[in-house]
Amino acid sequence: MSVSGDLFELTAAASDVPDGLDLVVALTGFSDAGGAAGQFNDYSRGAFESEPVAIFDNDLLLDYRARRPIIYFDQDHLTEYTPPRLQVSLAYDDLHHPFLLLTGYEPDFLWERFVRDVLGLIDRFRVARTTWVHAIPMPVPHTRPIGVTVSGTREELIESMSVWRPHTQVPSNVLHLLEYRLTERGSGVAGFALLIPHYLADTEFPTAAIAAIDSISAATGLILPTDELREEGREFVSRIDEQVGGNEELKRLVGTLEERYDTYMEGSALRSPLMDSDGTLPSADEIAAELEKFLAGRKGPDERRPPGDEAP
């Protein structure tokens, strides 16, 4: 490594970054319903050609006791310790168009300093636009397309893609803060909150990762591969449908979610696709209970390996 920042070090490859690229960001952490960001991070390592240009310091940003790295015990000795990775990479899409990619874990500490350093990298590389994705659980059916709430300064994306525009207070993540600072500067930024069926929020839901990639492509024009994920998504949904089809109560509950969703999307007076006219949420807890056994095998990556382990 050749150059140091406050919380990161630049690699030699940083000198090869062209000016004016898009920056794409997906971090695992507080809000990652359906494992959208985690799957995108995993998938990007194999699907995109990339090389690290800036690596952040785990010892300053990561709470190891809360998110412990995994080490392999081989009979009588320890092997294969791989620390988590939070980094910016120079990546290429299917047409070999370059872009910058910030992946890894959401920092536990030093948010303001982290955002300041990311802004410094944005300035250094003269980033044209920043696009970030995360996913939140909502009472919506898995049988309908995943909707998004779009925030930021890209009005054309907000107008064309944002299906839910609430007035509400939400717990923030570090990328909310980054978007807020970019908005203060008048920079181009779009944040996509994917609306994931809440009974699938704790699973690794392939359709969530596809929705993340589709949102990124819509915002940047990048051509990103999804064929493998789409096949996984079809298989996953088919198995969910089989579970639901064999249980009349589940069919009724999913049907209720579908009806509310469809009514909202047709422009009814409902305040959101999530609520009835009296403001109450339709319960899908029974769906989660019935599917628990099936979904146990589809838990997100943070339960199989250390959260934020984004090593290439």
Side-chain angles (χ1 to χ4, degrees), residues 80-265:
E80 298 182 25
Y81 174 75
T82 304
R85 201 76 173 265
L86 176 59
Q87 66 184 29
V88 178
S89 301
L90 176 61
Y92 298 88
D93 75 353
D94 267 7
L95 299 181
H96 208 67
H97 292 149
F99 64 101
L100 290 169
L101 180 63
L102 172 55
T103 55
Y105 56 87
E106 179 186 21
D108 294 304
F109 308 113
L110 303 177
W111 276 21
E112 290 284 358
R113 287 171 60 186
F114 173 75
V115 168
R116 184 183 66 206
D117 275 10
V118 173
L119 292 175
L121 290 168
I122 287 172
D123 291 339
R124 177 187 182 91
F125 298 129
R126 301 182 186 275
V127 166
R129 301 169 299 193
T130 300
T131 302
W132 69 282
V133 293
H134 70 132
I136 56 179
M138 290 290 176
V140 292
H142 71 279
T143 53
R144 298 296 184 266
I146 291 177
V148 297
T149 290
V150 188
S151 58
T153 61
R154 306 270 313 270
E155 290 295 332
E156 77 282 8
L157 296 174
I158 295 171
E159 290 301 319
S160 64
M161 298 182 67
S162 193
V163 302
W164 184 46
R165 306 184 191 184
H167 296 275
T168 187
Q169 293 180 322
V170 296
S172 65
N173 63 52
V174 74
L175 297 180
H176 284 121
L177 179 58
L178 176 62
E179 179 186 313
Y180 185 78
R181 297 294 185 223
L182 286 168
T183 300
E184 287 182 325
R185 291 166 33 144
S187 300
V189 58
F192 289 89
L194 312 178
L195 309 180
I196 306 300
H198 74 294
Y199 52 91
L200 299 177
D202 292 331
T203 75
E204 196 173 83
F205 184 28
T207 307
I210 295 168
I213 293 173
D214 287 346
S215 297
I216 291 165
S217 295
T220 63
L222 295 167
I223 307 300
L224 305 175
T226 60
D227 288 350
E228 182 180 335
L229 279 173
R230 291 185 191 280
E231 180 59 30
E232 291 179 9
R234 284 189 289 268
E235 293 177 1
F236 183 86
V237 170
S238 176
R239 295 173 68 185
I240 291 291
D241 288 342
E242 183 179 345
Q243 297 289 318
V244 172
N247 185 302
E248 289 300 321
E249 181 64 14
L250 288 180
K251 285 197 290 186
R252 185 187 68 80
L253 290 170
V254 172
T256 298
L257 295 176
E258 290 174 335
E259 181 179 352
R260 295 168 194 268
Y261 178 98
D262 292 343
T263 301
Y264 175 80
M265 294 304 290

